[in-house]
Amino acid sequence: MYKDQKLWIPAYFKDMPLHGLMRTTSRSESVNSIFNKYSNSGNLLIYFMMNYDTAIGKQRNGQQKLEHDTKNAKHEMTLPSGLLEHAAAVYTKTVFYEVKKEIFKAVWYCSIDSIEMIDGWQVVMITQKDKSKQLKIKCKVELKLPEKEVKCSCNHFIRTGILCHHIFVVLKNNHVEEIPEQYILRRWKRDAISSHLLAMKHVAMDTEDDTFKLLTEAYNNIEYCLDHFKRSKEELLEFFEKTRILKQAIMEFGSSNQSSSDNDEEEIIRMPGIRNIHDEINTHPPSSIRTKGSGTKKRMVSATEKAIEAAKKKTRLSTGCNQYVNHNWRTCKVRLVRESKQP
């Protein structure tokens, strides 16, 4: 039973959605670990905002890389299945491989035992075998063809958000070439995040929503063209020449709308969104900040530091123990023990 420990949780939580599960503490710890790499408690407000932009920029860059890998992924269709082709078109790269495993199991390890109609539902009994062809699992799949509603007794979709191989067997047997739309969760789709939310090249620009979306689409179009033309040097040179001519025309007519700051001070003032600077400043930083401890302004001293300071003190001869130590005759422990033993 211990060898099957990976099946313990699915056995007890098979009817609960576990996809994307994250505890509140895990979420806060994840956020803290990200920002601790770029900021610390001694940063000024402007440095915190700059570090915040750096951390968010790293996350967006990682998301853009995943988006690029998904768009340019070339999936190998090992099975002549319309379901597999549809999964490659709608799912992200990582989720597609999970769906591909389920379709592969449906083809090689599952078989249909019986089919019957009950109240408009097509009830199909499925037998699944493992790789050794010994272990057999029975599952019941119910399908309503007009609405393409389907459910399985294993509750794999409820738990993971991906259809199980038992359902794929039934869909394939009924010549369904596409995964039903209601069973494609948005979190697993290629377009789960809008493209304009991934843009970070003009985050600090003061633009309207429509202008922001147009700028994003322009960036995406240029990046798409570069990804497409990088495989052909001739097409890339032609695209480069056209963009160079366009840039030269814009510079000649002076129609560029980009504005640059005259100095670093204006750039720093613009980043927090400050419009006007008052001549008189009434808000000042605190003169002192008390850290954790007893409430005094002194720092708490550790036991190691206390021992080091004690070792630095000058020793003197104690008449109680006749040794050069840091205590005197009145506080000598040897003398106190000796006198306590005397009658």
Side-chain angles (χ1 to χ4, degrees), residues 153-193:
S153 59
C154 71
N155 291 333
H156 185 270
F157 176 78
I158 297 176
R159 189 173 64 254
T160 64
I162 299 174
L163 292 179
C164 62
H165 39 281
H166 313 118
I167 292 178
F168 282 122
V169 171
V170 177
L171 294 178
K172 187 174 181 298
N173 186 63
N174 287 272
H175 307 288
V176 178
E177 297 297 324
E178 292 185 357
I179 301 174
E181 184 66 26
Q182 63 267 32
Y183 298 108
I184 303 177
L185 299 185
R186 181 172 176 80
R187 66 182 305 128
W188 307 139
K189 296 175 70 174
R190 288 170 173 255
D191 57 348
I193 301 179

Side-chain angles (χ1 to χ4, degrees), residues 53-69:
D53 288 339
T54 302
I56 296 299
K58 182 180 179 181
Q59 287 188 333
R60 286 175 174 164
N61 181 70
Q63 182 66 38
Q64 285 183 331
K65 184 179 182 300
L66 294 176
E67 290 285 334
H68 178 270
D69 294 342

Side-chain angles (χ1 to χ4, degrees), residues 216-265:
T216 305
E217 291 297 329
Y219 278 119
N220 292 337
N221 292 338
I222 293 175
E223 290 178 355
Y224 176 82
C225 293
L226 291 175
D227 289 335
H228 179 74
F229 293 144
K230 68 182 180 182
R231 301 176 181 85
S232 175
K233 186 176 180 180
E234 292 78 11
E235 294 180 351
L236 185 60
L237 286 173
E238 183 180 355
F239 177 76
F240 170 76
E241 186 63 24
K242 290 182 179 179
T243 54
R244 187 187 64 81
I245 295 173
L246 179 61
K247 178 182 176 181
Q248 185 177 1
I250 293 174
M251 293 177 65
E252 290 177 357
F253 289 98
S255 59
S256 176
N257 292 324
Q258 295 183 354
S259 61
S260 59
S261 300
D262 296 332
N263 48 50
D264 294 338
E265 183 178 357

Side-chain angles (χ1 to χ4, degrees), residues 45-46 49-50 53 200-207 215 257-277:
L45 178 60
I46 184 62
M49 296 188 64
M50 295 172 66
D53 288 339
M200 65 177 186
K201 303 179 182 62
H202 47 273
V203 172
M205 297 178 62
D206 296 330
T207 56
L215 285 171
N257 292 324
Q258 295 183 354
S259 61
S260 59
S261 300
D262 296 332
N263 48 50
D264 294 338
E265 183 178 357
E266 292 183 2
E267 181 69 18
I268 293 174
I269 293 173
R270 185 180 62 84
M271 288 184 62
I274 300 174
R275 302 299 180 185
N276 299 318
I277 300 180

Side-chain angles (χ1 to χ4, degrees), residues 4 6 26 35 72 79 103 120 127 150 169 172 190 237 307:
D4 297 332
K6 64 180 181 180
S26 300
F35 289 109
N72 295 275
L79 298 172
I103 297 177
T127 300
V150 62
V169 171
K172 187 174 181 298
R190 288 170 173 255
L237 286 173

